[in-house]
């Protein structure tokens, strides 16, 4: 029924012309909104990346003087030397920006918006206005967050986890005044944006699939985005509530997270009765699912890209759907693995260890399925494929240390060290990032109607992969040697001074990685101006978005929405003379002739 209503809406939609503002700024079109999300995320990535570069400058050559930086950022680098408080605000803002304002927004807001309606054969999202609001909350939230750098006291220093009581009172240190308040307000605004988006994606997938598009015919990228939306909808409200409670603690005299008698900044908190551990529980109840909010969409994208470039059906499609769902479900039961040192009962620790290790099962199944999809395929090493394979490699590397960290006995030893920093950067900053690049290389022609330069794309990959390992792999050793995370200068402790070579190496690798990723920006700018024009289906792919023009028109499909007859992975079908059969080709029609129509 929904489909029929949609068709009626279209004739009107296709006909009318829109003003510049409606088309590109306050657009209701899911494709424009998706691209807006991606572009804003990229701007934030640049900021977050530059903050990381400043951190690596300090860690690589602690205490050195950088006169030029002293002139540009006099407060952060008095006399050219970075001050400690500034370092902590860099850590906090870098982590916050990268997780919430780059990866989450690009993967769910960017790809979710762009892909879902196109892959299910809809004309737009279920609630276009809500969608526009969702996007516009994002730059507002970003501006509020970045404003924290410019207020008295500067940006917060409590880390991306904003642990109480550090985050609960301005007494706790520089940046814990207005800076922390702005951080909380900004996050609250962004969470509302995520919730609007999630509601939209879920409704759209459930209600607006075109004729023939059963759930088990959805491409895996849409499946992953759909499950991720459910995950967001169930987990983000917990952090929203926690953020509001923390704001009350800071400004309305409540003490949810402040214990009685705590002495902070030399002052005794008299009111009280709250518990800082409550914040940890609430934070990580979102915080762990958040990791999967980044990784699941990347997994969906990678499944799609690998199948397409191996010219083979994705191996074990129903199992892939099941494992995405299983990971999402299990991710609600593991948050305690971030709190093994909080004094929890050993039995509880064992319970959280068990649930954590169980997540390895669906994760490993997915990995085997990707390998099985690659096995014996006619591999095409496009940049998208390279990044997808890179994802698998980085995900396995990060996942294996997850198995170690999931065990309390080991975790207590390396808790809050660079071993943990290495682990989560492999999973989030490397694997999820590579998954995102796989998606960008794959769908760029559909988004902009131009091909990205393949040679530059290969350079990007072959520079980024070793630089990524060079940056994050040695961090394991620094962690095992006892280097704690968020430390401003490893030289502060004699026993860490042996690590100066490792730290300098990591920093140099990080700079190379930054340059490598800049190649992507160069590629985008060059290709938008001079790139080869993209045809409708440059990758000979099967899913619906490749049956419409590149870029698709407003309303996505001319007069009629496409009708679906098969799943999205009919590659190298026996008896067909082309090696792919689009979803729009009727089952009974001889594939070769009909395939032409799919182009
Ligand atoms: C350019 C590449 C990157 C480099 C060189 C880098 C480097 C660092 C460093 C040195 C820290 C401080 C660790 C500590 O002392 O605890 C850090 C923290 C962090 N990074 Fe990155 N990072 C990069 C990219 C990313 C990305 C893409 C993400 C997003 C998923 C990310 C997420 C985080 C988080 C969550 C923290 C923890 C912040 C905190 O402790 O509050 N990083 N990063
Ligand atoms: Cu976790």
């Amino acid at each position: 029924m929904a489909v029929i209503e949609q068709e009626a809406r279209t004739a009107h939609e296709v006909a009318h012309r829109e003003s510049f503002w409606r088309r590109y700024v306050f657009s209701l079109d899911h494709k424009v909104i998706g691209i807006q999300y991606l572009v804003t995320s990229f701007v934030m990535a640049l900021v977050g990346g530059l903050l990381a570069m400043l951190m690596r400058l300090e860690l690589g050559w602690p205490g050195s003087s950088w006169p030029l930086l002293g002139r540009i950022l006099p407060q952060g680098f008095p006399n050219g030397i970075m001050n400690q408080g500034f370092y902590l605000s860099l850590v906090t803002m870098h982590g916050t920006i990268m997780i919430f304002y780059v990866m989450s927004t690009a993967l769910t807001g960017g790809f979710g918006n762009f892909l879902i309606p196109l892959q299910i054969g809809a004309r737009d999202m279920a609630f276009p206005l809500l969608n526009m609001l969702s996007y516009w909350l994002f730059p507002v939230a970003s501006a509020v967050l970045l404003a924290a750098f410019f207020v008295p006291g500067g940006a917060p220093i409590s880390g991306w986890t904003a642990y109480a009581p550090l985050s609960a009172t301005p007494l706790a240190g520089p940046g814990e005044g207005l800076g922390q308040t702005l951080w909380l307000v900004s996050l609250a605004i962004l969470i509302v944006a995520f919730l609007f988006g999630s509601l939209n994606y879920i409704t759209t997938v459930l209600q607006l699939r075109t004729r023939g598009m059963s759930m088990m015919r959805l491409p895996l990228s849409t499946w992953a985005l759909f499950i991720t939306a459910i995950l967001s909808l169930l987990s983000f409200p917990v952090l929203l509530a926690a953020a509001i409670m923390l704001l009350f603690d800071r400004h309305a005299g409540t003490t949810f997270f402040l214990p009685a008698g705590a002495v902070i900044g030399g002052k005794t908190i008299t009111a009280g009765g709250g518990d800082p551990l409550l914040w940890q529980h609430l934070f990580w109840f979102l915080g762990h699912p958040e990791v999967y909010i980044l990784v699941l969409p990347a997994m969906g994208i990678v499944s799609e890209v690998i199948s397409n470039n191996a010219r083979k059906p994705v191996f074990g499609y129903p199992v892939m759907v099941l494992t995405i769902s299983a990971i999402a479900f299990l991710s609600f039961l593991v948050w305690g693995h971030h709190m093994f040192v909080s004094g929890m009962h050993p039995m509880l620790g064992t319970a959280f260890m068990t649930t954590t290790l169980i997540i390895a099962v669906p994760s490993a199944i997915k990995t085997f399925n990707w390998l099985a999809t690659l096995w014996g395929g006619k591999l095409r090493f496009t940049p998208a494929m390279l990044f997808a394979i890179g994802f698998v490699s980085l995900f396995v590397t990060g996942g294996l240390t997850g198995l170690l960290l999931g065990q309390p006995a080991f975790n207590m030893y390396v808790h809050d060290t660079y071993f943990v920093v290495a682990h989560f950067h492999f999973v989030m900053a490397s694997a999820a990032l590579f998954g995102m690049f796989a998606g960008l290389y794959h769908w760029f022609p559909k988004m902009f109607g131009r091909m990205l330069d393949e040679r530059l794309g290969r350079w990007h990959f072959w520079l980024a992969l070793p630089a990524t390992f060079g940056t994050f792999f040695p961090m394991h050793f620094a962690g095992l040697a006892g280097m704690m995370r968020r430390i401003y200068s490893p030289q502060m402790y004699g026993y860490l001074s042996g690590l100066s070579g490792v730290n300098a190496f990591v920093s140099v690798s990080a700079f190379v990685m930054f340059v490598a990723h800049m190649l992507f920006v160069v590629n985008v700018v060059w290709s938008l101006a001079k790139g080869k024009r993209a045809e409708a289906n440059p990758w000979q792919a099967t899913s619906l978005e490749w049956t419409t023009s590149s870029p698709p028109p407003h309303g996505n499909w001319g007069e009629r929405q496409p009708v679906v007859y098969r799943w999205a992975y009919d590659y190298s079908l026996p008896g067909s003379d082309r090696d792919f059969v689009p979803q729009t080709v009727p089952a009974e029609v001889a594939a070769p002739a009909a395939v032409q129509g799919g182009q």
Side-chain angles (χ1 to χ4, degrees):
M1 189 191 76
V3 172
I4 297 165
E5 280 168 15
Q6 264 191 303
E7 300 243 10
R9 208 169 69 187
T10 326
H12 162 73
E13 265 177 10
V14 171
H16 79 206
R17 305 283 314 150
E18 294 170 311
S19 72
F20 171 83
W21 286 95
R22 245 294 178 255
R23 253 181 116 161
Y24 297 110
V25 186
F26 298 110
S27 175
L28 299 178
D29 185 326
H30 71 100
K31 300 183 289 298
V32 178
I33 294 175
I35 291 168
Q36 285 175 321
Y37 254 115
L38 285 175
V39 171
T40 316
S41 304
F42 252 84
V43 172
M44 290 304 278
L46 204 62
V47 177
L50 285 173
L51 300 184
M53 295 303 104
L54 289 178
M55 276 144 68
R56 280 318 319 179
L57 205 60
E58 173 57 32
L59 294 173
W61 301 275
S64 301
S65 173
W66 312 94
L68 183 65
L69 287 170
R71 237 170 297 149
I72 305 173
L73 301 164
Q75 308 226 307
F77 289 80
N79 305 318
I81 300 174
M82 185 187 290
N83 80 30
Q84 304 195 17
F86 186 64
Y87 180 83
L88 286 178
S89 60
L90 290 179
V91 176
T92 305
M93 297 293 269
H94 159 77
T96 307
I97 289 176
M98 289 304 201
I99 293 206
F100 294 115
Y101 297 72
V102 175
M103 302 301 294
S104 308
T105 46
L107 284 163
T108 58
F111 285 103
N113 270 307
F114 187 82
L115 286 184
I116 291 175
L118 281 169
Q119 291 200 328
I120 66 173
R123 296 206 176 270
D124 207 313
M125 284 287 177
F127 312 114
L129 190 66
L130 198 64
N131 214 16
M132 181 188 82
L133 275 176
S134 158
Y135 168 70
W136 277 103
L137 289 175
F138 173 29
V140 171
S142 304
V144 173
L145 183 76
L146 295 179
F149 272 119
F150 303 99
V151 297
I157 58 169
S158 57
W160 83 284
T161 49
Y163 271 12
L166 189 51
S167 56
T169 157
L171 298 173
E176 291 312 303
L178 189 51
Q180 184 74 60
T181 299
L182 288 172
W183 186 97
L184 284 164
V185 170
S186 166
L187 204 62
I189 298 173
L190 190 70
I191 291 174
V192 174
F194 286 143
L195 295 180
F196 285 176
S198 305
L199 274 174
N200 224 343
Y201 310 150
I202 295 170
T203 316
T204 305
V205 170
L206 291 179
Q207 293 295 316
L208 297 189
R209 279 169 291 127
T210 188
R211 288 190 194 86
M213 182 60 94
S214 62
M215 289 301 277
M216 292 311 274
R217 282 178 176 171
L218 287 176
L220 285 174
S221 39
T222 289
W223 254 116
L225 288 162
F226 172 63
I227 299 285
T228 304
I230 298 175
L231 196 57
S232 303
L233 197 65
L234 296 179
S235 59
F236 268 120
V238 177
L239 185 61
L240 181 59
I244 292 171
M245 285 159 76
L246 190 51
L247 278 170
F248 277 143
D249 269 12
R250 297 172 55 79
H251 297 289
T254 59
T255 53
F256 291 112
F257 307 115
L258 279 169
V263 181
I264 298 173
K267 286 207 180 140
T268 307
I269 308 278
T270 45
D275 192 338
L277 278 185
L278 175 61
W279 172 264
Q280 293 193 20
H281 281 291
L282 294 177
F283 183 87
W284 287 115
F285 191 78
L286 158 93
H288 192 86
E290 169 63 23
V291 176
Y292 287 102
I293 291 172
L294 308 191
V295 172
L296 289 179
M299 287 175 160
I301 288 170
V302 162
S303 307
E304 202 80 352
V305 169
I306 286 185
S307 168
N308 173 256
N309 287 291
R311 314 307 291 161
K312 272 183 63 188
V314 76
F315 185 87
Y317 174 91
V319 178
M320 289 299 232
V321 173
L322 202 70
T323 48
I324 296 175
S325 315
I327 291 174
F329 173 73
L330 287 169
S331 76
F332 283 112
L333 306 179
V334 301
W335 79 94
H337 65 209
H338 297 274
M339 299 171 60
F340 286 141
V341 298
S342 67
M344 67 169 60
H345 193 282
M347 282 298 283
L348 194 57
T350 307
F352 278 121
M353 173 187 82
T354 310
T355 49
T356 302
L357 297 189
I358 290 175
I359 290 204
V361 176
S363 308
I365 293 176
K366 294 193 80 70
T367 305
F368 286 122
N369 282 1
W370 289 316
L371 296 180
T373 308
L374 287 166
W375 188 260
K378 287 179 282 174
L379 306 190
R380 257 184 350 200
F381 292 104
T382 58
M385 178 66 150
L386 292 173
F387 275 100
I389 295 174
F391 167 93
V392 178
S393 155
L394 293 161
F395 179 69
V396 170
T397 312
L400 282 177
T401 52
L403 285 179
L404 302 178
L405 287 170
Q407 305 176 50
F410 180 78
N411 183 294
M412 287 187 184
Y413 179 67
V414 295
H415 181 82
D416 258 345
T417 68
Y418 263 74
F419 194 88
V420 177
V421 179
H423 159 73
F424 69 67
H425 278 90
F426 266 106
V427 183
M428 298 191 294
S430 312
L433 191 71
F434 273 47
M436 188 178 89
F437 277 121
L440 288 169
Y441 279 102
H442 192 68
W443 280 289
F444 185 91
K446 188 52 64 186
M447 290 177 184
F448 298 103
R450 300 264 186 180
M451 303 299 285
L452 280 170
D453 187 72
E454 289 227 351
R455 211 155 53 121
L456 206 52
R458 281 200 204 101
W459 269 99
H460 173 192
F461 174 78
W462 286 114
L463 213 55
L465 186 74
T468 299
F469 275 100
T471 305
F472 299 121
F473 206 79
M475 288 184 184
H476 293 111
F477 304 117
L480 289 175
M483 181 170 157
M484 51 292 264
R485 74 187 277 200
R486 296 182 186 166
I487 187 178
Y488 151 77
S489 165
Q491 308 298 63
M492 281 159 77
Y493 300 94
Y495 75 97
L496 293 179
S497 57
L499 291 174
S500 56
V502 174
N503 275 315
F505 177 82
V506 166
S507 292
V508 172
S509 305
F511 301 150
V512 175
M513 174 162 61
F514 188 81
V515 172
H517 291 317
M518 283 300 109
L519 289 183
F520 180 76
V521 179
V522 173
N523 201 344
V524 167
V525 173
W526 188 86
S527 302
L528 282 178
K530 297 243 163 80
K532 210 171 76 186
R533 290 216 176 265
E535 36 181 306
N537 190 3
W539 313 124
Q540 296 87 42
T542 51
S543 45
L544 291 182
E545 74 273 27
W546 304 104
T547 62
T548 180
S549 60
S550 303
H554 189 56
N556 296 346
W557 328 98
E559 281 298 307
R560 316 224 63 178
Q561 285 173 254
V563 179
V564 168
Y565 296 95
R566 53 183 75 235
W567 73 335
Y569 299 99
D570 270 342
Y571 288 107
S572 304
L573 205 60
S576 159
D577 66 346
R578 298 281 292 272
D579 69 352
F580 71 108
V581 185
Q583 286 188 280
T584 47
V585 175
E588 62 280 8
V589 173
V595 166
Q596 316 294 335
Q599 277 271 10

